[in-house]
Short mmCIF file of all heavy atoms in Angstrom, two decimals:
data_model
loop_
_atom_site.label_atom_id
_atom_site.label_comp_id
_atom_site.label_asym_id
_atom_site.label_seq_id
_atom_site.Cartn_x
_atom_site.Cartn_y
_atom_site.Cartn_z
N LEU A 1 112.72 102.20 91.71
CA LEU A 1 114.08 101.75 92.07
C LEU A 1 114.50 100.60 91.14
O LEU A 1 115.70 100.62 90.76
CB LEU A 1 114.06 101.29 93.56
CG LEU A 1 115.39 100.93 94.16
CD1 LEU A 1 116.41 102.09 94.07
CD2 LEU A 1 115.28 100.48 95.62
N ALA A 2 113.62 99.73 90.78
CA ALA A 2 113.96 98.65 89.88
C ALA A 2 114.28 99.20 88.48
O ALA A 2 115.16 98.60 87.78
CB ALA A 2 112.77 97.64 89.76
N ASP A 3 113.63 100.34 88.08
CA ASP A 3 113.84 100.86 86.73
C ASP A 3 115.28 101.31 86.63
O ASP A 3 115.75 101.48 85.44
CB ASP A 3 112.85 102.04 86.53
CG ASP A 3 111.41 101.54 86.33
OD1 ASP A 3 111.22 100.33 86.21
OD2 ASP A 3 110.46 102.28 86.41
N THR A 4 115.93 101.66 87.73
CA THR A 4 117.32 102.19 87.57
C THR A 4 118.29 101.14 87.05
O THR A 4 119.34 101.42 86.59
CB THR A 4 117.77 102.72 88.95
OG1 THR A 4 117.80 101.57 89.95
CG2 THR A 4 116.85 103.80 89.51
N PHE A 5 117.80 99.85 87.19
CA PHE A 5 118.67 98.76 86.66
C PHE A 5 118.39 98.42 85.23
O PHE A 5 118.82 97.38 84.77
CB PHE A 5 118.49 97.48 87.57
CG PHE A 5 119.07 97.66 88.91
CD1 PHE A 5 118.37 98.12 90.00
CD2 PHE A 5 120.40 97.22 89.16
CE1 PHE A 5 118.89 98.29 91.24
CE2 PHE A 5 120.97 97.38 90.44
CZ PHE A 5 120.24 97.87 91.47
N ARG A 6 117.60 99.28 84.54
CA ARG A 6 117.22 98.95 83.12
C ARG A 6 118.52 99.08 82.27
O ARG A 6 118.64 98.30 81.30
CB ARG A 6 116.14 99.94 82.67
CG ARG A 6 115.82 99.69 81.23
CD ARG A 6 114.77 100.66 80.80
NE ARG A 6 114.38 100.49 79.38
CZ ARG A 6 113.44 101.22 78.72
NH1 ARG A 6 112.79 102.17 79.39
NH2 ARG A 6 113.21 101.03 77.47
N SER A 7 119.39 100.00 82.63
CA SER A 7 120.55 100.25 81.74
C SER A 7 121.83 100.18 82.48
O SER A 7 122.86 100.63 81.96
CB SER A 7 120.36 101.63 81.12
OG SER A 7 120.32 102.61 82.13
N ARG A 8 121.86 99.52 83.66
CA ARG A 8 123.12 99.40 84.39
C ARG A 8 123.17 97.99 85.03
O ARG A 8 122.19 97.47 85.48
CB ARG A 8 123.35 100.48 85.38
CG ARG A 8 122.43 100.40 86.62
CD ARG A 8 122.63 101.70 87.42
NE ARG A 8 121.68 101.73 88.59
CZ ARG A 8 121.91 101.45 89.80
NH1 ARG A 8 123.15 100.98 90.08
NH2 ARG A 8 121.05 101.51 90.79
N GLU A 9 124.41 97.48 85.11
CA GLU A 9 124.63 96.23 85.72
C GLU A 9 124.69 96.37 87.25
O GLU A 9 124.71 97.50 87.77
CB GLU A 9 125.88 95.56 85.22
CG GLU A 9 125.83 95.15 83.78
CD GLU A 9 127.12 94.40 83.35
OE1 GLU A 9 128.21 94.84 83.79
OE2 GLU A 9 126.99 93.44 82.64
N LEU A 10 124.63 95.15 87.93
CA LEU A 10 124.77 95.22 89.34
C LEU A 10 126.13 95.71 89.78
O LEU A 10 127.15 95.20 89.41
CB LEU A 10 124.58 93.84 89.91
CG LEU A 10 124.77 93.58 91.36
CD1 LEU A 10 123.67 94.37 92.14
CD2 LEU A 10 124.70 92.09 91.77
N GLY A 11 126.08 96.79 90.52
CA GLY A 11 127.29 97.35 91.04
C GLY A 11 127.35 97.39 92.52
O GLY A 11 128.18 96.77 93.14
N ASP A 12 126.40 98.11 93.09
CA ASP A 12 126.34 98.24 94.50
C ASP A 12 125.37 97.14 95.02
O ASP A 12 124.17 97.29 94.79
CB ASP A 12 125.89 99.64 94.90
CG ASP A 12 125.72 99.75 96.43
OD1 ASP A 12 126.29 98.91 97.12
OD2 ASP A 12 125.15 100.78 96.93
N PRO A 13 125.81 96.14 95.75
CA PRO A 13 124.91 95.09 96.25
C PRO A 13 123.81 95.67 97.17
O PRO A 13 122.71 95.12 97.19
CB PRO A 13 125.85 94.15 96.96
CG PRO A 13 127.19 94.36 96.41
CD PRO A 13 127.23 95.88 96.06
N ALA A 14 124.18 96.72 97.85
CA ALA A 14 123.15 97.27 98.82
C ALA A 14 122.00 97.81 98.04
O ALA A 14 120.81 97.71 98.45
CB ALA A 14 123.83 98.32 99.67
N THR A 15 122.29 98.50 96.90
CA THR A 15 121.23 99.07 96.13
C THR A 15 120.33 97.99 95.50
O THR A 15 119.11 98.08 95.51
CB THR A 15 121.78 99.96 95.06
OG1 THR A 15 122.55 100.99 95.60
CG2 THR A 15 120.68 100.68 94.22
N ALA A 16 120.96 96.91 95.01
CA ALA A 16 120.24 95.74 94.44
C ALA A 16 119.33 95.13 95.54
O ALA A 16 118.18 94.77 95.30
CB ALA A 16 121.23 94.77 93.79
N GLU A 17 119.98 94.96 96.73
CA GLU A 17 119.19 94.30 97.76
C GLU A 17 118.00 95.18 98.20
O GLU A 17 116.87 94.70 98.52
CB GLU A 17 120.09 94.06 98.98
CG GLU A 17 119.41 93.26 100.07
CD GLU A 17 120.36 92.94 101.23
OE1 GLU A 17 121.58 93.37 101.17
OE2 GLU A 17 119.95 92.19 102.12
N HIS A 18 118.22 96.48 98.17
CA HIS A 18 117.15 97.46 98.48
C HIS A 18 116.04 97.31 97.50
O HIS A 18 114.87 97.38 97.82
CB HIS A 18 117.77 98.87 98.56
CG HIS A 18 116.80 99.90 99.05
ND1 HIS A 18 115.98 99.71 100.17
CD2 HIS A 18 116.40 101.03 98.46
CE1 HIS A 18 115.20 100.82 100.41
NE2 HIS A 18 115.46 101.59 99.36
N ALA A 19 116.33 97.19 96.18
CA ALA A 19 115.35 97.07 95.18
C ALA A 19 114.55 95.79 95.28
O ALA A 19 113.33 95.76 95.12
CB ALA A 19 115.98 97.14 93.80
N ILE A 20 115.23 94.72 95.65
CA ILE A 20 114.55 93.43 95.83
C ILE A 20 113.70 93.43 97.11
O ILE A 20 112.51 92.99 97.04
CB ILE A 20 115.60 92.29 95.92
CG1 ILE A 20 116.31 92.14 94.64
CG2 ILE A 20 114.89 90.96 96.32
CD1 ILE A 20 117.50 91.14 94.69
N ARG A 21 114.16 94.09 98.21
CA ARG A 21 113.46 94.12 99.45
C ARG A 21 112.22 95.04 99.31
O ARG A 21 111.20 94.70 99.91
CB ARG A 21 114.31 94.61 100.55
CG ARG A 21 113.68 94.51 101.94
CD ARG A 21 114.63 94.93 103.06
NE ARG A 21 115.00 96.36 102.90
CZ ARG A 21 116.21 96.74 102.59
NH1 ARG A 21 117.15 95.82 102.34
NH2 ARG A 21 116.53 98.03 102.46
N ASP A 22 112.38 96.10 98.45
CA ASP A 22 111.19 96.99 98.40
C ASP A 22 109.98 96.33 97.74
O ASP A 22 108.84 96.59 98.05
CB ASP A 22 111.59 98.26 97.55
CG ASP A 22 112.21 99.29 98.42
OD1 ASP A 22 112.45 99.01 99.60
OD2 ASP A 22 112.41 100.50 97.99
N MET A 23 110.27 95.40 96.74
CA MET A 23 109.16 94.66 96.14
C MET A 23 108.51 93.75 97.18
O MET A 23 107.29 93.53 97.15
CB MET A 23 109.69 93.90 94.94
CG MET A 23 109.82 94.67 93.65
SD MET A 23 108.37 95.43 93.13
CE MET A 23 107.27 94.04 92.87
N VAL A 24 109.30 93.16 98.01
CA VAL A 24 108.70 92.32 99.16
C VAL A 24 107.90 93.16 100.05
O VAL A 24 106.81 92.73 100.48
CB VAL A 24 109.88 91.60 99.88
CG1 VAL A 24 109.29 90.80 101.06
CG2 VAL A 24 110.65 90.66 98.95
N VAL A 25 108.32 94.40 100.41
CA VAL A 25 107.61 95.22 101.28
C VAL A 25 106.21 95.58 100.65
O VAL A 25 105.15 95.62 101.31
CB VAL A 25 108.37 96.47 101.61
CG1 VAL A 25 107.56 97.48 102.37
CG2 VAL A 25 109.59 96.15 102.46
N ALA A 26 106.24 95.91 99.32
CA ALA A 26 105.00 96.21 98.65
C ALA A 26 104.06 95.04 98.68
O ALA A 26 102.76 95.21 98.88
CB ALA A 26 105.27 96.63 97.16
N THR A 27 104.57 93.86 98.53
CA THR A 27 103.71 92.61 98.60
C THR A 27 103.12 92.49 100.02
O THR A 27 101.95 92.08 100.20
CB THR A 27 104.48 91.41 98.24
OG1 THR A 27 105.07 91.64 96.87
CG2 THR A 27 103.60 90.18 98.10
N ASP A 28 103.93 92.77 101.02
CA ASP A 28 103.50 92.69 102.41
C ASP A 28 102.36 93.61 102.73
O ASP A 28 101.36 93.21 103.41
CB ASP A 28 104.66 92.98 103.43
CG ASP A 28 105.66 91.83 103.44
OD1 ASP A 28 105.35 90.66 103.05
OD2 ASP A 28 106.83 92.10 103.83
N PHE A 29 102.37 94.84 102.13
CA PHE A 29 101.27 95.77 102.36
C PHE A 29 99.99 95.17 101.75
O PHE A 29 98.92 95.27 102.34
CB PHE A 29 101.62 97.05 101.69
CG PHE A 29 102.31 98.05 102.60
CD1 PHE A 29 103.68 98.24 102.51
CD2 PHE A 29 101.63 98.69 103.59
CE1 PHE A 29 104.33 99.10 103.32
CE2 PHE A 29 102.27 99.63 104.43
CZ PHE A 29 103.60 99.83 104.35
N TYR A 30 100.14 94.53 100.56
CA TYR A 30 98.93 94.01 99.88
C TYR A 30 98.37 92.80 100.74
O TYR A 30 97.18 92.69 100.95
CB TYR A 30 99.24 93.46 98.54
CG TYR A 30 98.09 92.91 97.75
CD1 TYR A 30 97.14 93.71 97.23
CD2 TYR A 30 97.99 91.49 97.76
CE1 TYR A 30 96.02 93.14 96.59
CE2 TYR A 30 96.87 90.86 97.11
CZ TYR A 30 95.92 91.76 96.55
OH TYR A 30 94.79 91.20 95.91
N HIS A 31 99.22 91.97 101.30
CA HIS A 31 98.80 90.84 102.08
C HIS A 31 98.16 91.30 103.38
O HIS A 31 97.15 90.73 103.79
CB HIS A 31 99.98 89.87 102.37
CG HIS A 31 100.35 89.06 101.22
ND1 HIS A 31 101.41 88.18 101.21
CD2 HIS A 31 99.86 88.91 99.94
CE1 HIS A 31 101.52 87.64 100.02
NE2 HIS A 31 100.55 88.03 99.27
N GLN A 32 98.66 92.43 103.94
CA GLN A 32 98.03 92.91 105.14
C GLN A 32 96.60 93.42 104.82
O GLN A 32 95.69 93.14 105.58
CB GLN A 32 98.86 94.06 105.72
CG GLN A 32 98.36 94.58 107.04
CD GLN A 32 99.25 95.66 107.55
OE1 GLN A 32 100.23 96.00 106.99
NE2 GLN A 32 98.85 96.28 108.72
N ALA A 33 96.45 94.09 103.71
CA ALA A 33 95.11 94.57 103.38
C ALA A 33 94.18 93.38 103.03
O ALA A 33 92.98 93.40 103.37
CB ALA A 33 95.26 95.50 102.12
N LEU A 34 94.79 92.33 102.48
CA LEU A 34 93.97 91.20 102.14
C LEU A 34 93.51 90.44 103.39
O LEU A 34 92.38 90.07 103.52
CB LEU A 34 94.81 90.23 101.27
CG LEU A 34 94.18 88.80 100.98
CD1 LEU A 34 92.83 88.89 100.29
CD2 LEU A 34 95.10 87.96 100.18
N PHE A 35 94.45 90.14 104.31
CA PHE A 35 94.08 89.42 105.47
C PHE A 35 93.13 90.16 106.44
O PHE A 35 92.41 89.58 107.19
CB PHE A 35 95.37 88.98 106.26
CG PHE A 35 96.18 88.10 105.49
CD1 PHE A 35 97.64 88.10 105.60
CD2 PHE A 35 95.72 87.18 104.53
CE1 PHE A 35 98.46 87.28 104.84
CE2 PHE A 35 96.53 86.37 103.80
CZ PHE A 35 97.86 86.42 103.96
N GLU A 36 93.18 91.48 106.47
CA GLU A 36 92.22 92.24 107.28
C GLU A 36 90.79 92.02 106.79
O GLU A 36 89.83 92.15 107.55
CB GLU A 36 92.58 93.77 107.25
CG GLU A 36 93.78 94.08 108.14
CD GLU A 36 93.89 95.58 108.23
OE1 GLU A 36 93.05 96.35 107.65
OE2 GLU A 36 94.79 96.10 108.96
N ARG A 37 90.64 91.69 105.54
CA ARG A 37 89.28 91.51 104.98
C ARG A 37 88.99 90.06 104.57
O ARG A 37 88.03 89.82 103.93
CB ARG A 37 89.05 92.45 103.81
CG ARG A 37 89.17 93.91 104.09
CD ARG A 37 88.29 94.37 105.14
NE ARG A 37 86.82 94.22 104.72
CZ ARG A 37 86.16 95.14 104.02
NH1 ARG A 37 86.78 96.31 103.70
NH2 ARG A 37 84.92 94.98 103.74
N THR A 38 89.73 89.16 105.14
CA THR A 38 89.53 87.73 104.82
C THR A 38 88.16 87.30 105.30
O THR A 38 87.48 86.37 104.69
CB THR A 38 90.62 86.85 105.47
OG1 THR A 38 91.86 87.24 104.96
CG2 THR A 38 90.39 85.36 105.12
N ALA A 39 87.59 87.93 106.40
CA ALA A 39 86.27 87.59 106.89
C ALA A 39 85.22 87.82 105.81
O ALA A 39 84.14 87.17 105.88
CB ALA A 39 86.02 88.43 108.10
N GLU A 40 85.49 88.73 104.87
CA GLU A 40 84.46 88.95 103.81
C GLU A 40 84.25 87.63 103.05
O GLU A 40 83.12 87.40 102.63
CB GLU A 40 84.99 90.05 102.88
CG GLU A 40 85.09 91.34 103.45
CD GLU A 40 83.68 92.05 103.57
OE1 GLU A 40 82.80 91.63 102.86
OE2 GLU A 40 83.58 92.98 104.34
N PHE A 41 85.30 86.87 102.89
CA PHE A 41 85.16 85.65 102.15
C PHE A 41 84.69 84.42 102.91
O PHE A 41 84.21 83.51 102.45
CB PHE A 41 86.53 85.26 101.49
CG PHE A 41 87.14 86.36 100.67
CD1 PHE A 41 88.23 87.04 101.06
CD2 PHE A 41 86.54 86.76 99.45
CE1 PHE A 41 88.74 88.08 100.34
CE2 PHE A 41 87.08 87.77 98.72
CZ PHE A 41 88.17 88.42 99.08
N LEU A 42 84.74 84.59 104.26
CA LEU A 42 84.30 83.51 105.12
C LEU A 42 82.80 83.64 105.43
O LEU A 42 82.29 82.88 106.29
CB LEU A 42 85.15 83.54 106.37
CG LEU A 42 86.67 83.37 106.23
CD1 LEU A 42 87.40 83.26 107.49
CD2 LEU A 42 86.97 82.10 105.32
N LEU A 43 82.14 84.57 104.84
CA LEU A 43 80.74 84.74 105.10
C LEU A 43 79.90 83.85 104.15
O LEU A 43 78.73 83.94 104.13
CB LEU A 43 80.31 86.26 104.90
CG LEU A 43 80.88 87.25 105.88
CD1 LEU A 43 80.40 88.59 105.51
CD2 LEU A 43 80.43 86.89 107.29
N LEU A 44 80.55 82.98 103.45
CA LEU A 44 79.92 82.06 102.54
C LEU A 44 79.24 80.95 103.30
O LEU A 44 79.29 80.94 104.57
CB LEU A 44 80.91 81.49 101.51
CG LEU A 44 81.74 82.48 100.69
CD1 LEU A 44 82.70 81.78 99.84
CD2 LEU A 44 80.82 83.31 99.81
N GLU A 45 78.66 80.04 102.61
CA GLU A 45 78.07 78.86 103.25
C GLU A 45 79.18 78.08 103.99
O GLU A 45 80.36 78.10 103.48
CB GLU A 45 77.36 77.97 102.22
CG GLU A 45 76.18 78.60 101.57
CD GLU A 45 75.05 78.90 102.52
OE1 GLU A 45 74.86 78.07 103.45
OE2 GLU A 45 74.51 79.99 102.40
N PRO A 46 78.89 77.36 105.08
CA PRO A 46 79.86 76.61 105.75
C PRO A 46 80.65 75.61 104.84
O PRO A 46 81.86 75.36 105.04
CB PRO A 46 79.04 75.85 106.84
CG PRO A 46 77.88 76.71 107.13
CD PRO A 46 77.56 77.34 105.75
#
């Protein structure tokens, strides 16, 4: 979706907002996967 803005200017604000929001959603998926396994890192010494 972001690649579609390589050769065009901002026209439809909804499309631009959708491109920005999709990157946030992808980051949220990564953080969810990270926090589910945070316990792996807490197995270290106190």
Side-chain angles (χ1 to χ4, degrees):
L1 187 57
D3 290 348
T4 62
F5 288 89
R6 179 180 180 181
S7 58
R8 67 186 177 102
E9 290 184 321
L10 176 64
D12 182 12
T15 304
E17 186 174 5
H18 187 50
I20 295 172
R21 187 176 64 249
D22 274 12
M23 282 300 303
V24 174
V25 173
T27 306
D28 287 339
F29 271 103
Y30 179 78
H31 284 176
Q32 185 178 356
L34 169 61
F35 296 148
E36 281 190 0
R37 299 301 297 274
T38 301
E40 292 283 342
F41 304 110
L42 301 182
L43 294 177
L44 304 176
E45 295 296 322

